[in-house]
Structure formats: structure tokens, C-alpha cells
Amino acid sequence: WSNVSTRKDEARRDVLRLAPIDETTTDPKEWGKSFPREYDGYIRTVDVERTKYGGSENIQKLDDDPKLRAMFDGYAFAIDYREERGHAYMLSDQRETERVTKKKQPGACLQCHASNLVAYREAGIAAGAPGKLTDGLTSKDGMAQLMTGFEKLCALSYDEATKKVQHPVSCLDCHDPESMAVRVTRPAFLNGIRALAKSEDSVPHFPSIERWRKGARSSEYDPNKDASRQEMRSMVCGQCHVEYYFKGEGKVVTYPWDDGLKVEQIEKYYDDAGWTDWKHAQSGASALKAQHPEFELWSQGIHARSGVSCADCHMPYKREGALKFSDHQVNSPLLHVARSCETCHPYSDAEVLSRVETIQARTKKMLDAAETATVDLITAIKKAKDAGATDAQLEKPRALQRQAQWRADFVAAENSMGFHAPQEAARILAEAVDLARQGQIAVLEAGVKK
Amino acid sequence: WSNVSTRKDEARRDVLRLAPIDETTTDPKEWGKSFPREYDGYIRTVDVERTKYGGSENIQKLDDDPKLRAMFDGYAFAIDYREERGHAYMLSDQRETERVTKKKQPGACLQCHASNLVAYREAGIAAGAPGKLTDGLTSKDGMAQLMTGFEKLCALSYDEATKKVQHPVSCLDCHDPESMAVRVTRPAFLNGIRALAKSEDSVPHFPSIERWRKGARSSEYDPNKDASRQEMRSMVCGQCHVEYYFKGEGKVVTYPWDDGLKVEQIEKYYDDAGWTDWKHAQSGASALKAQHPEFELWSQGIHARSGVSCADCHMPYKREGALKFSDHQVNSPLLHVARSCETCHPYSDAEVLSRVETIQARTKKMLDAAETATVDLITAIKKAKDAGATDAQLEKPRALQRQAQWRADFVAAENSMGFHAPQEAARILAEAVDLARQGQIAVLEAGVKK
Amino acid sequence: MNLPVSPRARLGLAAVAAAVLLGALAGSGAYTFSYAEGLSYLSTDPKACVNCHVMREQYDGWQKASHHAHATCNDCHVPQDALGKYMTKAAHGWRHSKAFTLNDFAEPIRILPEDLDIVHDNCVRCHAGLVSELAPPQHAGVPGERVACTRCHGSVAHGPPR
Ligand SMILES: [Ca+2]
Ligand SMILES: [Ca+2]
């Protein structure tokens, strides 16, 4: 019975601020003094647990699926490319990857791997932005500091820039220290979502954008003002779990959303911009690398459309006594389907897991086929090249490789093995396989003698 | 409140049997006397209304999508192939199609196009089966009459057989005249579902089969005894809305379910049986024709898995006065999403329709790609053949055509444009496109001179 | 629905006996039962149920759902024949108190199959007229013989999930 009376107490307790926090408090420990349950979950993102297609063990993807080595030949991703793990590791994993230790990278990398608001703002103030560090981030001055400093730090070398930060993403990056409301703080996201709002892509999962579009458009779309709380529960993740590139000399992190979030709209953006990530070492194609487009794929799925946010599945509520809070141990929902899924889908754990497995297994099979076709095409181009094919003869096959590989990689680099939008992922892979095989046909039709 | 009391009166009224019905009553009008609401819906299946990908206008599919002419070249489906319409037309449409008027067809065709129970049983009795026509259909004698007569009528010519029936599928075919319970009566289905039960295909949507598999298996699986009412609400449709072929000299309608319901399991069945529907006129490939595999595709979808039956969407409840009944105007659910979908998905009509359109548009795009690739392959084989390619050189391309075309057609012939199982339909189409393009590569690699 | 003592009611009877017996033996159990307002089970006031905060979600959902005006918790969750009613209440009271005290239940809490039967019977009881053609068992004797109302009308009681 002591249990009962304790819980009645708990139910009545309000949050006590046991330590002061403000816009300069990057250390999560300080926040943890007032919000111990959230902090406890947060630090437990160091846990390592595998699921069939995901989980948190940083295995080498290149060994797991050797087709990737062929696909990324000539690019840093062919050196070291791992399964991602919990937020606790983001900064150290970035510092230690051979993509950084063996290749030169810019400070831009930091936008998504650190608690960087204070670093950005300090750099902004140093570069002449108005106001002071304790101004609210979303105030006019705060924003000016942020955006200025962001561009400064992007342009630095990685080694220089990384010295300016200490923590992985932290409370301050997601929460207003005063109200504790969730907020979005990543400059590239603020720019990107504005561009998306102006595009014509349909976004039924973001009613606030659809509202803004119908409105006067006298000011730009601003998620921190316009988005609903439920939308914010996804946008806060969409700050980092997205495809990106580094634009221009200044290496400004940029989200290619001017035409929309779908795979071919992003491709069009890159085509129009004349963007290429690297020249493929074997085939000479101008290739693109996709990176973690979780937000984009989720956007095409039925969950997004039904208003189900990233946090609903990845930060489900947890109950301790009468208190309910968001689980800050962000990880695979398959490790806790009862809390993540069963509030909406009242089935047994086994049934829920089996539904996910059915979807993921189908995706995996198609993904294998799409990657196989892409690698077949790469091999075919290389052979033709070695046999003396001209650039003119290889133009069409190379263009098809770019398109096919972009699609296969889009699903491979996305981290839910198709779950976030099963039919859309399948559609993308069907296109990938078609384009890659057409590329092989184009090579054969070019009729190079062996 | 007078309204309330009227309704209370109506409520207490039991169904009055205003006309006698028994196992010999094929005329739906007789049933309609006792069940006027169901009858009214039933006769309204003459209505003609189009939806974007379905509906009830019997347009010529071959004109709508000329790729089909190339795909079915040399087979009756290249002559006349229409969008299907309401149940009221099933018998006349069959009698009038040029597939029947221009080609010879067997009596087997009738299994799914008529109220044929009495005709079957009479033929069974004539052939020596025990008992009399008024025995309950599911009694031992009734079943013996049915199965014997079924085989007799399958073997007749269509012209002879069709004289023995007058009505499209009618009340007697779906209902026990005594209890009005839904029952399954199609011999090929009774055989097929028994075979499925014995297979190892996973059928989470049919708990009664899973139960039977775990049991003693002392008797065969019998849906009329073992299936739950909810399962029957789908099986009754799965009697006809399935892929089939006519086995052996006797032309016995047979469902190829020995290995399971998935596209490659059915393909394996046909491969093992050495079955071919026809030799393709242009390519010489041994091709298969898929026919309305609604039941099979639905089986792979999330609705089946969640216990949502065909009748839930295609015969939604309707309210008239104080009574609710099943709408017997079986048609596209898109014509009444409020009743068909919105009890489970509480959104606006526009939103529900838009969700379906998103799914169907994705499928249509993939389907076009798969059919285009198949036709490209057919053209490539024909060209090579004309240029003198040997059968040995064409063996692989032809085998690939069979596989690719089977898959593309499986989704095309299924009538929901992918809705019944969106990701599975996409998977099938991704395979189709891969196989067809590999076929073209095989033709090119065979290196026939032009 | 005026069944004589149903198998379910008999089960309830056993549970009542168990509850009384164990309650008398274990003082702490009795304490829980009253402190957690266990006796309020015998009332029809929905607030009785939210005495346990774990019922909060259902209570909140019910307040916004369509049946707020038509039915209280017990109209749906308790059989309406006099005997079954108290049997069920006692059995639930005991089970819930025990679960709440030991904190050993799985979340999200989910209705038990036998309790869903009770609910179903209550839907049919109130809506007998409307569903008279659908509700009678058409295929008697086989498990899962009803077309469960909640498959389509799952949200009338507690609203949509979340
Ligand atoms: Ca991971
Ligand atoms: Ca139709």
C-alpha cells in the first residue's frame, strides 16, 4: 500500500527547478537536476542493443553489405560507414570516423553532431551580430547571432570547429530553457522548411504549412511560431535526420527542399544546381550520396499523414507511478513496442513485431535487387570503358547510374528499412532497378567491342 | 419521442418469412420477399458508375491500355477484355464476351458466373450421387451431389452448360436458406482452401486455419464448419475473386494454392505442373494469364491481417429507419467511403479518397513501368527471332518473359490498383521490371546479328 | 439478454469468494481496497474509476467520446443482470486493487477477452433494435461468432487512440 500513497503524492507534485538553466546551459547535467527522469533516459542512449535491421551496434556496413563498397567507390563512404547508434555517441563517432580522420571535412559537419548553439552564437557575436548570449534564441537578435555564427563555423575546417563544442545534442538544442517547450534551432532546417513551405509539394502532414500557404505570406514560415506542438514533435528530429549537402565555397549545410521532399524532387534540385557528390571511381558517373532521409521518407507515409510524430514512436511516454514523461532514451521502437505501438495498435508484442518484420523483409529483398542491379551497371560501364568506349557512348549509362544509385541509396541510407513509408520505399526501389537495368541495356546497345 | 417509440416497435419485429425458401430456390425474387432490403441492394448491382481506376463501366481495357494487346497476343484476352461491373451482369457478360463467342470455352467457366448449385446437384444426382435436391447442401449427400455434378458440368461445352442456369450469383449461393448464415459453395474453393490449409504458407488472417493446422488433422479443413463468421465474410468472395486454371482433360476449375497464396508460390505451382496458358504469338514464350487475384492480394495486406473482411468494405452496413443491414449493392467502396471506411478511419471523405488515390497512383506508375518493360522484352525477342535467333538462344529471354509478365499481369488483373496490399503489389512490380529488363539484356547478350 | 446464471457469473462468484477470503486474511489488501476507493466499484459514478490514475486515459477519452451522454462505465463494463453485476464488480475490484498495489500489470492496459464479451452484450442490449438482423449468432457454436461492434465502432466509448 505504500505504493498507492506514494503515487498519490507523485500525482500532486509539480516540477521544482533545482538548478538555474538559461540559453548558455549546454551541460545536460545541469538540466538533469530539475528533470531527472528525462536526463536518465537521455544518458542511457549509450546503450547498445541490436535489432534485425537497426539497433545501436556500430557494425561496419561495408562488411555487412559489400555491394556498398562498389557503389561508393572513390568517395569517403567507401572507407568507413557504420550503423548509427545512440545520441550519446554522435560527437565522438564523428570525430573518430575515418571519413574525418582520413579525409578533410568542413566545420559544417558539426551542425548535426553537437550541442552547438552557444558556439554558433558566440561566433555570430564575434562577427558583429547584435545582442548578447543570454537573449532568447528565437528573439530577433538571437536568431541573427545564430545564423551569422552558423555560416562562420561551417566554413572552418572540421578540426578547428570541433574544438568549440563539448556535448552531443543536448537539452538546450531541443528545449526553450524558460518554458521547456520544444523548439527547432538548426539553421539549415529553418532555411529548408521555409523553402519547403514555398514549394508546391503537398504536405498533408503539416497543416501549419498548408495554412501558411493559404495565408497572406507577409512573413516567412517559421516553425517556432507557426507549427503545432504535434508537428514540432517531428520537426525537432527533422532538423538532422534529413538529406543534405554543403552549398558553395562557404560549405553551408543546405537541405534540398525547394521542389519538395520526394526522391525525384530532391534529384531535380541537385540536377538543376549541377550538384555532384563525387565522380565514381569505376564508372566515371557523376554520383549522388543519400544521407539518412528519415524525415523525407516518413513524410510520404501513412503515419505522418495520420499525425503520428517521430516522438510518438521514438520517445514514447513512460509511466513512473502517476507521472508520465517522454522517454529520452531515443532508440529503435522495436525495443519497446508496447509503449511505442500498442497504444494505437492493440495487438501482442509478437504480432506487432511480425508486422514490422513483414514490411522490412519485403524492403530488404527489393533493396538487394536494386543494389545488385546498380552494381551490375557499374561493372558494365567499367568494362565498356576499359574496352575503349568513349565518353559519348557512356553518357547515357552514366546518367542512368546516377539516377538508379540515388534511388537505391535513398532507401538504403534511410534507417527504417522501409518502415517509415513502405509503399513509397518500394516505389523508389522499383524505379532504381528499372533505371539500372536500362543502363546495362544502354551499354550493350552502344555496342562496344570487347 | 413518437419517433423513438416507432423505432422501438420496429426493433422488436423479427424477420418474417413471407415466402418459403429452400435449397432449390434460385430465384432471388423469392428471397427478396422476406429480405427486401438486401434484395433491393442486390438488384442495384446493375448500376454503372466509374471511379478513377475501377467502377462499373465495361470499357474495353485493350483500348484503354494498348500494351495489354501486345502482352496477350495470341490469347483470347487480346480480343475482348473489359473492366468488370456489377454482379447482375456476370452471366450476360460471360455469354456475350468475344472470348466466348469467338473462341470455344468449357462449361467450367460457369463456376463463377451463375447461380449454379441446383444445376450442379441435378447433374450430380443424374450421375448417381445419393440423396435428393432438398437435402441441406452441406450434408454429406448434398456435398456428394455438388462435387459430382460440378465435374460433369465443367467438362461440357460452354454453350451446353450455360443453358442449365438462369441467374447470376444469387442468395442461395451465399446463404443457407434455413439459417441465412453465410456459406461457401464453390467446389473449386472448397478444394483450394483445403490445399491451402495443408500448405506451409503463413495465414495470420485466417485463425481457423492456423488452429486446424495445430489440431489433430483427423478431418480435412472445412470452412463451413471451421471458419469464424468474420472469416466467412471474406471467404464467400474468395470463392470467385481468385486466380484459377482448368485442370486436365476434364477442365476442372482449380485454384493453384498447394504452395500458398503469394505470387511466386502460385508460379511455382504452375511451373511444377508444367502449366502454360498459351504460347505468345510474337515471342513464342510459354505465358501465364493472371485473373482477378483479389483474395490472394488482400491476403498479403494489412487489412486482412487486422481482420478486415471484403464485406466490411464492399458490403458496408447501411441504415434504413431503425434497422441496419448489409448493403448488397456490391461495388467500389470509393462510392461510399463514409460507410465503408470512416467507421474505422475517422477522416473526411476527401481525406480518405486522397489516401486511396495516393496508393493507387503509385501503383499505376509502377504498373506502367512493368508493362512497358514486358512489352520491350516481347519486342526484343520477336526482333531477335526474326533475325534468326535459335530457340536455344531465346530460352532464357522467354523464361524471363513468362516470369515478368506473370507478375505485371498479377497486379494489372487484380482489381484494386494495388489498394488491397500496397507494398506487396509494389514488390511484385519491382520484380516484374527487374525480370523483364534482364530478359532484354539476355537477348542482347545472345548477340544475334541484325 | 436475460440469461440465467452464466458461466461468467459463476466465475465471478468464485472471485468474490476469493476476494472476501483473501481480503480478510491480508490486512494490507483490505487497506488498499478502501484507501484506493475500492468500494466505489459498487457505485455507478464514473469518477469511481478514476480513483485509480491508471484509468485516467479512459476516463478522459470517455468524457469526449460520443457515449458520454448515453452510458457510464458500468453500463458497458458490467453485465446488467443483477447477479452478474455484483459478481463482476467484485471480481474487477479485487483484480484491479491487486494489480494496482503490486504494480505488476502490463501497459498499455487492455481489455480482457471475457470483458469484451460483456461490453459487446451491452452494445447489443442498448442497440438491439437496430442490429437485430446482424447481432443474432448466425453460425452458432463456433468461437468468434459475433461480428464485434468495436471493430468498427472502437472509438465511441473512449474516442480514438491518443
Ligand atoms: Ca542504429
Ligand atoms: Ca469494376
Side-chain angles (χ1 to χ4, degrees):
Chain A
W1 58 266
S2 73
N3 200 344
V4 173
S5 51
T6 323
R7 293 214 233 135
K8 288 216 163 184
D9 274 358
E10 274 172 338
R12 275 182 226 110
R13 207 179 65 196
D14 273 334
V15 172
L16 282 180
R17 294 275 183 131
L18 296 172
I21 47 176
D22 65 20
E23 290 285 5
T24 66
T25 318
T26 43
D27 189 348
K29 238 196 224 111
E30 293 306 308
W31 296 61
K33 291 179 182 158
S34 306
F35 308 102
R37 290 178 188 78
E38 286 80 7
Y39 179 73
D40 281 355
Y42 172 85
I43 54 172
R44 284 194 49 202
T45 55
V46 295
D47 280 10
V48 169
E49 210 162 334
R50 258 180 104 153
T51 61
K52 184 147 182 194
Y53 304 97
S56 321
E57 207 178 299
N58 66 341
I59 50 153
Q60 183 59 263
K61 287 193 191 187
L62 302 172
D63 295 336
D64 210 42
D65 179 0
K67 296 193 286 309
L68 297 179
R69 268 212 177 83
M71 282 172 67
F72 305 131
D73 204 353
Y75 200 43
F77 280 91
I79 307 176
D80 188 3
Y81 188 13
R82 297 176 178 272
E83 169 67 25
E84 89 290 21
R85 46 184 173 164
H87 282 169
Y89 295 102
M90 62 169 70
L91 189 51
S92 58
D93 278 350
Q94 187 176 60
R95 286 175 177 163
E96 288 158 21
T97 178
E98 294 180 13
R99 301 206 298 276
V100 162
T101 57
K102 295 203 170 158
K103 299 261 162 182
K104 222 182 110 54
Q105 302 288 3
C109 294
L110 279 179
Q111 199 220 214
C112 303
H113 284 261
S115 186
N116 49 25
L117 294 184
V118 172
Y120 282 165
R121 294 177 68 176
E122 279 174 343
I125 292 172
K132 48 190 192 329
L133 211 54
T134 46
D135 292 340
L137 176 80
T138 51
S139 68
K140 208 168 157 242
D141 286 356
M143 275 292 144
Q145 295 162 17
L146 179 76
M147 294 314 237
T148 314
F150 161 64
E151 300 201 354
K152 289 283 161 212
L153 259 66
C154 280
L156 292 187
S157 76
Y158 183 80
D159 294 340
E160 266 181 283
T162 199
K163 289 193 197 115
K164 303 189 186 292
V165 296
Q166 282 119 311
H167 298 284
V169 64
S170 167
C171 320
L172 183 64
D173 299 277
C174 296
H175 291 285
D176 182 320
E178 201 144 308
S179 67
M180 285 308 286
V182 169
R183 64 182 184 185
V184 290
T185 60
R186 287 315 177 244
F189 181 83
L190 294 165
N191 293 335
I193 200 83
R194 261 204 308 270
L196 177 66
K198 284 184 208 146
S199 81
E200 280 167 10
D201 192 20
S202 84
V203 285
H205 57 310
F206 288 130
S208 70
I209 295 187
E210 301 208 314
R211 232 174 4 251
W212 179 87
R213 284 179 181 170
K214 284 192 210 113
R217 303 201 179 194
S218 50
S219 59
E220 304 267 17
Y221 176 77
D222 178 354
N224 284 321
K225 295 208 184 77
D226 298 325
S228 70
R229 176 174 159 201
Q230 185 62 13
E231 291 170 302
M232 288 299 271
R233 288 167 57 90
S234 295
M235 288 189 176
V236 72
C237 317
Q239 300 187 96
C240 300
H241 289 267
V242 294
E243 162 64 11
Y244 68 91
Y245 79 119
F246 296 154
K247 187 176 181 170
E249 284 311 300
K251 302 282 175 195
V252 181
V253 187
T254 306
Y255 300 166
W257 296 347
D258 291 19
D259 299 301
L261 295 172
K262 301 193 187 74
V263 70
E264 55 273 336
Q265 292 166 331
I266 300 177
E267 181 181 50
K268 179 175 181 307
Y269 176 99
Y270 285 137
D271 287 349
D272 291 350
W275 180 259
T276 284
D277 279 316
W278 88 108
K279 210 172 211 40
H280 196 277
Q282 292 176 34
S283 72
S286 304
L288 296 172
K289 173 81 190 78
Q291 275 129 166
H292 33 75
E294 280 91 57
F295 183 71
E296 294 89 333
L297 190 66
W298 164 84
S299 291
Q300 309 312 320
I302 196 77
H303 279 109
R305 186 141 194 174
S306 306
V308 186
S309 71
C310 315
D312 286 335
C313 298
H314 290 280
M315 299 181 69
Y317 289 115
K318 199 169 179 174
R319 202 175 56 78
E320 266 175 25
L323 270 180
K324 268 192 160 173
F325 57 95
S326 302
D327 189 348
H328 278 59
Q329 184 183 2
V330 177
N331 58 6
S332 167
L334 302 186
L335 301 172
H336 38 69
V337 288
R339 286 189 285 120
S340 282
C341 317
E342 292 167 23
T343 46
C344 296
H345 305 287
Y347 312 110
S348 68
D349 287 8
E351 171 62 16
V352 170
L353 289 168
S354 158
R355 289 179 180 207
V356 178
E357 165 61 12
T358 304
I359 290 169
Q360 292 186 320
R362 284 199 194 111
T363 309
K364 178 73 168 96
K365 212 178 150 203
M366 282 181 274
L367 178 58
D368 277 341
E371 288 180 349
T372 300
T374 306
V375 173
D376 285 354
L377 171 56
I378 291 171
T379 312
I381 299 178
K382 182 177 180 331
K383 265 199 193 151
K385 207 177 62 175
D386 292 348
T390 63
D391 280 348
Q393 283 176 313
L394 294 182
E395 191 185 329
K396 190 173 165 196
R398 282 176 176 154
L400 285 162
Q401 182 196 331
R402 175 180 162 106
Q403 293 182 297
Q405 174 156 343
W406 164 243
R407 285 168 176 72
D409 191 25
F410 196 89
V411 177
E414 208 277 343
N415 284 290
S416 70
M417 194 50 85
F419 176 82
H420 290 144
Q423 193 206 12
E424 173 71 357
R427 179 187 76 87
I428 294 171
L429 293 172
E431 286 189 15
V433 102
D434 195 7
L435 293 161
R437 296 295 183 203
Q438 286 187 39
Q440 285 178 272
I441 292 168
V443 172
L444 286 164
E445 282 177 343
V448 184
K449 308 242 164 54
K450 287 169 202 175
Chain B
W1 61 268
S2 76
N3 201 344
V4 173
S5 56
T6 325
R7 293 216 233 136
K8 291 217 160 180
D9 271 358
E10 248 180 313
R12 274 188 223 100
R13 209 178 64 196
D14 271 335
V15 175
L16 282 181
R17 295 278 183 128
L18 296 170
I21 48 175
D22 65 19
E23 290 285 5
T24 67
T25 318
T26 44
D27 188 349
K29 235 191 228 118
E30 293 305 308
W31 297 61
K33 291 178 183 159
S34 306
F35 308 102
R37 293 178 188 80
E38 286 81 4
Y39 179 72
D40 282 354
Y42 171 85
I43 54 170
R44 283 194 50 201
T45 56
V46 295
D47 280 9
V48 169
E49 210 162 334
R50 261 180 102 156
T51 61
K52 183 146 184 193
Y53 305 97
S56 320
E57 208 179 299
N58 66 341
I59 50 152
Q60 182 60 261
K61 287 194 191 185
L62 301 171
D63 295 335
D64 210 42
D65 180 1
K67 297 192 286 308
L68 296 178
R69 268 212 178 83
M71 282 172 66
F72 304 132
D73 204 354
Y75 200 45
F77 280 91
I79 307 176
D80 187 4
Y81 188 14
R82 297 174 179 274
E83 169 66 26
E84 90 291 24
R85 46 184 175 165
H87 282 169
Y89 295 102
M90 62 169 69
L91 189 50
S92 57
D93 278 350
Q94 188 175 59
R95 286 174 177 163
E96 288 159 21
T97 179
E98 294 180 14
R99 301 206 299 274
V100 162
T101 57
K102 295 202 171 160
K103 300 262 162 182
K104 222 182 110 52
Q105 301 290 0
C109 294
L110 279 178
Q111 199 218 217
C112 303
H113 284 263
S115 186
N116 50 24
L117 293 184
V118 172
Y120 282 164
R121 294 178 67 176
E122 280 174 344
I125 292 172
K132 48 194 192 330
L133 210 53
T134 46
D135 292 341
L137 176 81
T138 52
S139 70
K140 206 166 159 241
D141 286 357
M143 274 292 145
Q145 296 162 18
L146 179 76
M147 295 313 238
T148 313
F150 160 65
E151 300 202 352
K152 289 285 163 209
L153 259 65
C154 281
L156 293 186
S157 76
Y158 182 80
D159 294 340
E160 266 181 284
T162 198
K163 289 192 199 116
K164 303 189 186 291
V165 298
Q166 283 119 310
H167 298 284
V169 65
S170 168
C171 321
L172 184 63
D173 299 278
C174 296
H175 291 285
D176 182 321
E178 203 147 306
S179 67
M180 285 308 287
V182 169
R183 64 183 184 182
V184 289
T185 61
R186 288 311 177 250
F189 181 82
L190 293 165
N191 293 334
I193 199 85
R194 261 204 310 270
L196 178 66
K198 282 184 209 147
S199 81
E200 280 167 12
D201 192 20
S202 84
V203 285
H205 56 312
F206 288 130
S208 70
I209 295 187
E210 301 208 313
R211 235 179 355 254
W212 180 86
R213 284 179 180 170
K214 284 194 209 111
R217 303 200 179 194
S218 50
S219 58
E220 302 268 16
Y221 175 78
D222 178 354
N224 285 320
K225 295 210 185 75
D226 298 325
S228 71
R229 183 173 156 200
Q230 185 59 16
E231 291 169 297
M232 289 297 271
R233 289 166 58 89
S234 295
M235 288 190 177
V236 72
C237 316
Q239 300 187 97
C240 300
H241 289 268
V242 294
E243 161 63 13
Y244 68 92
Y245 78 119
F246 297 155
K247 188 176 181 171
E249 282 311 300
K251 302 282 175 195
V252 181
V253 187
T254 305
Y255 300 166
W257 296 348
D258 291 21
D259 299 301
L261 296 172
K262 300 192 187 79
V263 71
E264 55 273 334
Q265 293 166 331
I266 300 178
E267 180 180 52
K268 178 175 182 307
Y269 175 100
Y270 285 136
D271 288 348
D272 291 350
W275 181 260
T276 284
D277 278 315
W278 88 106
K279 211 172 208 42
H280 195 277
Q282 293 176 33
S283 72
S286 304
L288 295 172
K289 173 80 191 79
Q291 275 130 164
H292 33 76
E294 280 90 57
F295 182 72
E296 294 88 333
L297 190 65
W298 163 83
S299 291
Q300 309 312 320
I302 197 77
H303 279 109
R305 186 142 196 175
S306 305
V308 186
S309 70
C310 314
D312 287 342
C313 298
H314 289 280
M315 300 181 69
Y317 288 130
K318 191 170 181 172
R319 174 182 180 157
E320 263 178 32
L323 264 182
K324 243 173 102 170
F325 57 96
S326 301
D327 189 347
H328 278 59
Q329 183 183 3
V330 177
N331 58 6
S332 166
L334 302 187
L335 301 172
H336 37 70
V337 288
R339 287 188 288 119
S340 281
C341 318
E342 292 167 23
T343 47
C344 296
H345 305 288
Y347 312 108
S348 69
D349 286 9
E351 171 62 16
V352 170
L353 288 169
S354 157
R355 289 179 181 207
V356 178
E357 166 61 13
T358 304
I359 290 170
Q360 293 186 320
R362 283 196 195 114
T363 308
K364 180 71 168 93
K365 210 175 154 206
M366 282 182 274
L367 178 58
D368 277 341
E371 289 180 349
T372 301
T374 306
V375 173
D376 285 354
L377 171 56
I378 290 171
T379 313
I381 299 179
K382 183 177 179 329
K383 264 198 194 152
K385 207 177 63 175
D386 292 350
T390 62
D391 281 349
Q393 283 176 313
L394 294 181
E395 192 185 330
K396 189 173 167 198
R398 284 174 175 156
L400 285 162
Q401 182 197 332
R402 176 182 162 106
Q403 293 182 297
Q405 174 156 345
W406 163 245
R407 284 167 176 74
D409 191 25
F410 196 89
V411 177
E414 209 277 343
N415 285 289
S416 70
M417 195 50 85
F419 176 82
H420 291 144
Q423 193 206 13
E424 173 71 357
R427 178 187 76 87
I428 294 171
L429 293 173
E431 286 190 17
V433 103
D434 195 6
L435 293 161
R437 296 294 183 203
Q438 286 187 39
Q440 285 178 271
I441 293 167
V443 172
L444 287 164
E445 282 177 345
V448 184
K449 308 243 163 52
K450 290 173 196 169
Chain C
M1 281 267 146
N2 40 4
L3 299 169
V5 183
S6 65
R8 205 190 298 127
R10 255 181 269 126
L11 245 171
L13 197 55
V16 129
V20 170
L21 190 66
L22 286 166
L25 286 176
S28 70
Y31 173 80
T32 304
F33 194 73
S34 67
Y35 178 65
E37 282 112 314
L39 284 173
S40 56
Y41 272 102
L42 304 180
S43 116
T44 52
D45 185 354
K47 290 210 196 70
C49 305
V50 258
N51 277 327
C52 282
H53 53 73
V54 297
M55 293 296 103
R56 168 62 59 179
E57 212 158 288
Q58 284 73 28
Y59 180 79
D60 290 348
W62 170 76
Q63 292 219 301
K64 285 178 230 127
S66 70
H67 277 62
H68 182 64
H70 309 315
T72 61
C73 315
N74 285 339
D75 289 327
C76 288
H77 286 289
V78 178
Q80 297 302 308
D81 55 299
L83 182 56
K85 189 167 183 164
Y86 289 98
M87 295 297 121
T88 305
K89 282 191 174 184
H92 282 182
W94 166 250
R95 199 171 63 233
H96 292 188
S97 305
K98 178 177 134 308
F100 193 68
T101 307
L102 300 179
N103 203 8
D104 65 347
F105 54 95
E107 286 189 281
I109 52 176
R110 195 171 299 157
I111 197 159
L112 298 169
E114 58 267 34
D115 289 342
L116 193 57
D117 284 342
I118 296 176
V119 173
H120 179 82
D121 288 348
N122 279 323
C123 307
V124 173
R125 176 177 58 85
C126 288
H127 296 286
L130 192 69
V131 300
S132 60
E133 292 213 356
L134 324 169
Q138 302 198 358
H139 212 233
V142 182
E145 259 339 282
R146 37 166 226 241
V147 174
C149 311
T150 44
R151 223 164 34 79
C152 299
H153 300 295
S155 58
V156 297
H158 300 293
R162 286 267 175 92

